[in-house]
């Protein structure tokens, strides 16, 4: 950080370039583009991948509303697919119900650090000519059967918000893609739509840059990511073993990275109170599904997502971060086991 200050090069400098190359390598994509946040990454990735003339984006409604916010900002209407009850991830079997020729992109979120079935989503999206974008904000470093997340679709998005698995000292994000024209579009859109300096070649641009200072922090932390993710997986496995009879997400699968540890509890309030009596804090990710958000609920009044609605009432998040001590993990396990 001192080197960045001394260099006087505070935006799009050498560390930013180095971080972009490291991210591209990490996910097996040709390009990575730093942007100002995960939500901006989604907005710019959608602007860059949705074919001209298409006006609908499809996603899931249980992922915190970020894709909905980004898609609406980019001027798209949002439709929702339901999720698989065993994983809380997009259910490819329900996806065709909301696909038609108006759909320009499907955003598939690797929620809680689990790995979604991107191949099945690509296959369904291809039937209507829609692009696929992976939201990897909760899953950096995760690997599915096809390889690392972030390299499995037309584009992918990342957030470096401080609590993510790879966090900056503030906001940050990135888009990865192996399609040259998508990379070119995001590169223009993140800086006013500039094709060249002071020449706007692409409409819909904005200022969405990742600072050189944050790039330096992320470059220093990147080598630690694997170890942190291993620790997160270990903690999730301990919770799963302790929470006998309760579903724990992300579902045990080899490549997940455990961003959030989420218990599915028919009596969430009762479990939360039990954990509180054992001095274990809990939270809810997420308490309001996208189609029920007050700002646009009337637009989606007819939407029926039975699995999403049930999970929204039943999910309870327990502590998960790599710095948890063995004693602390043991205390959460004991509290889960005694429920
Ligand atoms: C955090 C998050 C985002 C948004 O990232 P910001 O950097 O906070 O804008 C998008 N999608 C998911 C799944 C997230 O968890």
């Amino acid at each position: 950080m001192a080197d960045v200050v001394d260099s006087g090069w505070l935006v799009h400098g050498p560390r930013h370039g180095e971080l972009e190359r490291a991210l591209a390598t990490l996910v097996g994509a040709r390009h990575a583009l730093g942007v100002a946040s995960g939500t901006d990454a989604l907005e710019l990735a959608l602007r860059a991948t949705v074919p001209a003339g298409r006006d609908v984006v499809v996603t899931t409604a249980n992922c915190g509303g970020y894709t909905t916010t980004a898609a609406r900002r980019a001027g798209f209407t949002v439709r929702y697919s339901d999720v698989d009850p065993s994983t809380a991830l997009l259910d490819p079997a329900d996806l065709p119900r909301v696909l038609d020729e108006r759909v320009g992109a499907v955003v598939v979120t690797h929620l809680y650090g689990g790995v979604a079935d991107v191949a099945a989503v690509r296959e369904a999206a291809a039937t209507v000519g829609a692009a696929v974008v992976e939201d990897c904000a909760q899953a950096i470093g995760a690997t599915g059967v096809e390889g690392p997340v972030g390299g499995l679709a037309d584009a992918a998005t990342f957030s470096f918000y401080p609590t993510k698995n790879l966090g900056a000292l503030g906001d940050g994000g990135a888009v990865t893609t192996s399609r040259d024209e998508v990379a070119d579009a995001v590169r223009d859109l993140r800086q006013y739509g500039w094709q060249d300096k002071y020449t706007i070649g692409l409409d819909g641009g904005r200022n969405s840059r990742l600072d050189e200072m944050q790039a330096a922090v992320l470059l220093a932390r990147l080598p630690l990511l694997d170890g942190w993710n291993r620790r997160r997986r270990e903690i999730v496995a301990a919770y799963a073993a302790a929470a006998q009879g309760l579903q724990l997400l992300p579902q045990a699968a080899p490549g997940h990275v455990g961003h959030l540890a989420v218990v599915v509890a028919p009596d969430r309030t009762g479990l939360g109170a039990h954990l509180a009596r054992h001095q274990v804090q809990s939270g809810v990710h997420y308490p309001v599904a996208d189609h029920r958000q007050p700002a646009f609920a009337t637009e989606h009044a007819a939407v029926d997502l039975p699995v999403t609605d049930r999970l929204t009432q039943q999910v309870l998040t327990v502590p998960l971060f790599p710095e948890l001590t063995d004693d602390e993990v043991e205390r959460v396990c004991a509290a889960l086991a005694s429920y």
Side-chain angles (χ1 to χ4, degrees):
M1 292 171 74
D3 286 349
V4 171
V5 174
D6 288 347
S7 77
W9 197 343
L10 299 175
V11 170
H12 287 180
R15 288 167 188 80
H16 182 263
E18 197 183 325
L19 178 68
E20 288 186 331
R21 288 188 292 279
L23 286 173
T25 302
L26 178 76
V27 307
R30 284 168 57 82
H31 309 278
L33 293 307
V35 296
S37 74
T39 309
D40 279 5
L42 284 162
E43 183 187 334
L44 300 191
L46 288 171
R47 287 187 189 272
T49 56
V50 169
R54 306 261 179 145
D55 68 338
V56 173
V57 168
V58 166
T59 190
T60 42
N62 66 330
C63 298
Y66 308 103
T67 293
T68 294
T69 300
R72 293 179 73 96
R73 251 198 77 86
F76 300 113
T77 298
V78 186
R79 284 185 202 155
Y80 299 103
S81 171
D82 211 346
V83 296
D84 183 323
S86 64
T87 61
L89 304 170
L90 193 150
D91 181 1
D94 188 53
L95 186 52
R97 179 179 60 80
V98 288
L99 290 180
D100 60 28
E101 309 289 327
R102 280 180 60 188
V103 176
V106 178
V107 179
V108 54
T109 305
H110 299 295
L111 188 70
Y112 305 148
V115 181
D117 187 351
V118 181
V121 173
R122 280 200 317 266
E123 195 178 318
T127 63
V128 295
V132 176
V133 175
E134 299 173 81
D135 181 352
C136 305
Q138 302 191 358
I140 188 166
T143 304
V145 287
E146 290 189 292
V149 304
L152 308 177
D154 292 280
T157 63
F158 295 84
S159 165
F160 305 121
Y161 182 78
T163 63
K164 307 294 185 184
N165 291 35
L166 179 65
L169 295 182
D171 279 307
V175 175
T176 57
T177 181
S178 288
R179 288 178 53 190
D180 296 347
E181 73 282 16
V182 171
D184 288 344
V186 172
R187 198 175 289 113
D188 292 354
L189 290 169
R190 73 179 175 185
Q191 201 155 232
Y192 323 113
W194 280 355
Q195 199 166 27
D196 295 303
K197 209 167 188 185
Y198 310 123
T199 303
I200 300 169
L202 196 53
D203 201 10
R206 51 185 303 187
N207 173 356
S208 182
R209 290 179 293 227
L210 177 66
D211 290 348
E212 190 70 359
M213 191 73 91
Q214 298 302 346
V217 170
L218 291 166
L219 265 181
R221 288 179 166 182
L222 191 57
L224 305 170
L225 177 65
D226 266 355
W228 286 334
N229 280 345
R230 208 172 311 121
R231 175 64 176 159
R232 285 173 174 274
R233 255 195 307 270
E234 193 177 278
I235 296 169
V236 170
Y239 291 169
Q244 291 295 330
L246 287 172
Q247 187 184 355
L248 197 112
L249 300 169
Q251 201 188 37
H256 85 77
V257 290
H259 174 65
L260 294 172
V262 173
V263 184
V264 182
D267 176 17
R268 172 168 70 197
T269 311
L271 175 59
H274 172 85
L275 293 175
R277 280 194 296 277
H278 289 77
Q279 274 85 52
V280 174
Q281 219 174 22
S282 58
V284 176
H285 297 87
Y286 293 92
V288 184
D290 295 22
H291 63 300
R292 308 281 189 198
Q293 292 292 350
F296 30 77
T298 48
E299 191 180 311
H300 299 292
V303 171
D304 185 28
L305 302 167
V307 182
T308 297
D309 281 335
R310 175 178 65 77
L311 286 174
T312 299
Q313 299 307 313
Q314 298 186 341
V315 288
L316 190 73
T317 306
V318 292
L320 176 60
F321 45 93
E323 299 85 356
L324 280 171
T325 65
D326 288 346
D327 279 355
E328 288 168 334
V329 173
E330 196 39 58
R331 269 173 51 198
V332 178
C333 285
L336 287 171
S338 65
Y339 174 67

